[in-house]
Amino acid sequence: MSSTLWGLVVGLTPLGAWAGSMFSGIAADKFGRKHMLMYNNAFFVSGAIIASTSTSVAQLSVGRFVSGIGCGVAANVVSTYCSEVSTIRSRGFLGGFQQLMILVGVFLSQVVSIGLSKAPLWRVLFSISAAIAIVQTLLLFFIPESPKYLASTKQIDKAEAVLVRLRKDMDIAFELDDLLTVLEYSRQTDYVPQPTMWQVLAGKTEIDLRHLVFSVLFLMLSQQWAGGKGVMFYSTEILSDSFHLSDEEIKHIPTIAQLLTLGIGAVGLFSVILGMCILDKVGRRTVLMVSSLATAISSALIVIGSKVDIGPVVAAAMYLFNLSFQSGAGFIPYLCASELLPYYALGSISGLATSINCLTLFIVSFIFPILDKAIGPYLFVPFIVTSFVTFLFAVFMMPEARGKSIVKVVDQYKGPIRCVAGPFAKKYSSSN
């Protein structure tokens, strides 16, 4: 299989995710977060069946695309659900679980794939995902619906009951009152009863959300251009080249490249847990600054190691890359939409943000092996640039949501796109 075709097959999953994310926000607002996640498992099951029974590259590609639709829906709805069932204090910690579970899934799939990578056992590998989706559907019957969704559909009694269940032995009066205040605030600040996505993007609602919307979209775009998924998808191939493994050595599973890839995955799990533990203590902005700058430095080290052709240097730099990226820049973007946007804008903008994220992932997945052949040791240079730009964004433009309600965040960061921190910070007044 050529590098172009291989990149296309790999990229069809995020392309499907892009398609799923386009309707996920609106669908979740209509059917509810819980039921949308239940319905979504149909994509995972059908995609796994198509892929596991494939007899051609075309059928395999269709299966990956269908599964990708489920990934796009889940990426958006799960992040929204996690934010809506958590308290303000635990929002960052609980929101990080999404990225943590993604990495757990990737790590376990890497472990299992070592023994199931050869024909016909790879079909079993795809079948496992169908079984997991069925189990997930059954487990979803036992979770509550989002209290914020219930309140938004005027099911106040059910929303209160869910809060009682989620906050066992805690006084929920203040949280329920705050939830109703946020929803009332959203209704009162609509330029029309339900503003369109274009009205929100253009700042044509009574409260100008352009800076907050820009922040959400930028973070979801930059997250994929930082190269994290490239390391996740292609680390084995990169390390095989770095250690100059022959075709004969690659046939003897597990290879040193595969074992090192497992280590990279394990480091990713540790770094996400680390980021989750410190996020609500030091704030999103500080964590993103440190994470993105360290990611840029580690990307530069990968380039240097590749250029001087020293395999252990490349491997060590990739470990540092995953440690840096996953501790902040990898999961903070998934929190931003539900932390920065009022309810009336959340469905449309979160869907747009996730679709941008997934489309970017498709592009990166597709061009990664092509760039590897074209520019070789300089493969990570574009990711150095992206990570450094993200660092600058965190320094000067990143809204800080730690310990703040949506009302406070919107009031502090409403207005046009601008610097909100540092020496170039500009305060916004509605009279501007």
Side-chain angles (χ1 to χ4, degrees), residues 404-423:
K404 300 174 184 176
S405 66
I406 295 294
V407 173
K408 291 182 179 179
V409 170
V410 171
D411 185 62
Q412 183 175 354
Y413 297 107
K414 63 187 176 183
I417 301 169
R418 65 198 188 281
C419 292
V420 297

Side-chain angles (χ1 to χ4, degrees), residues 113-369:
S113 65
I114 290 179
L116 299 176
S117 58
K118 295 183 178 180
L121 295 179
W122 61 267
R123 298 183 185 276
V124 178
L125 190 61
F126 282 109
S127 301
I128 292 174
S129 61
I132 293 174
I134 293 172
V135 172
Q136 180 176 258
T137 303
L138 298 176
L139 293 177
L140 283 170
F141 281 101
F142 299 97
I143 72 167
E145 180 55 271
S146 159
K148 193 171 184 179
Y149 168 77
L150 292 171
S152 72
T153 54
K154 301 181 180 180
Q155 302 179 70
I156 307 302
D157 291 340
K158 290 184 178 180
E160 183 175 4
V162 168
L163 284 175
V164 170
R165 177 181 172 185
L166 293 172
R167 317 284 188 255
K168 190 175 182 180
D169 300 326
M170 295 176 62
D171 184 4
I172 64 156
F174 176 79
E175 186 175 357
L176 180 62
D177 181 65
D178 186 63
L179 175 61
L180 297 177
T181 300
V182 170
L183 294 171
E184 183 62 26
Y185 175 84
S186 294
R187 295 189 185 101
Q188 290 178 353
T189 55
D190 286 350
Y191 179 75
V192 292
Q194 183 60 46
T196 66
M197 179 176 65
W198 303 114
Q199 288 174 322
V200 176
L201 289 171
K204 298 300 183 180
T205 51
E206 187 172 330
I207 301 297
D208 188 348
L209 302 174
R210 281 179 292 169
H211 183 76
L212 292 166
V213 170
F214 168 77
S215 299
V216 171
L217 299 183
F218 173 83
L219 286 171
M220 290 295 272
L221 175 68
S222 64
Q223 192 235 23
Q224 297 299 354
W225 277 116
K229 290 301 191 296
V231 170
M232 186 180 296
F233 293 158
Y234 296 106
S235 55
T236 300
E237 287 80 0
I238 294 172
L239 291 171
S240 294
D241 291 340
S242 299
F243 283 89
H244 304 291
L245 299 184
S246 65
D247 292 340
E248 189 62 30
E249 289 175 315
I250 292 175
K251 292 179 181 178
H252 289 82
I253 298 174
T255 66
I256 185 174
Q258 289 175 319
L259 295 176
L260 287 171
T261 295
L262 291 181
I264 292 173
V267 166
L269 297 179
F270 167 78
S271 59
V272 171
I273 295 173
L274 174 64
M276 291 165 57
C277 292
I278 65 175
L279 191 66
D280 288 312
K281 296 180 180 179
V282 302
R284 285 81 169 127
R285 181 168 167 264
T286 300
V287 173
L288 184 63
M289 281 192 292
V290 175
S291 173
S292 56
L293 182 59
T295 301
I297 294 171
S298 56
S299 297
L301 292 176
I302 293 176
V303 173
I304 294 172
S306 300
K307 184 62 179 177
V308 299
D309 198 19
I310 301 178
V313 173
V314 176
M318 291 181 72
Y319 272 71
L320 180 60
F321 178 98
N322 221 29
L323 176 65
S324 305
F325 177 76
Q326 300 297 353
S327 62
F331 76 91
I332 288 177
Y334 291 120
L335 308 177
C336 58
S338 52
E339 287 194 331
L340 302 181
L341 299 176
Y343 197 77
Y344 65 84
L346 182 60
S348 59
I349 299 302
S350 64
L352 175 63
T354 305
S355 68
I356 290 174
N357 183 270
C358 295
L359 185 59
T360 306
L361 176 56
F362 164 71
I363 296 171
V364 172
S365 302
F366 176 65
I367 68 173
F368 201 92

Side-chain angles (χ1 to χ4, degrees), residues 13-45:
T13 295
L15 185 62
W18 168 76
S21 64
M22 291 296 289
F23 66 84
S24 59
I26 296 174
D29 286 343
K30 180 177 181 180
F31 299 109
R33 283 63 166 130
K34 174 180 176 178
H35 288 94
M36 192 62 221
L37 289 173
M38 295 176 71
Y39 303 151
N40 186 51
N41 284 310
F43 291 112
F44 289 128
V45 173

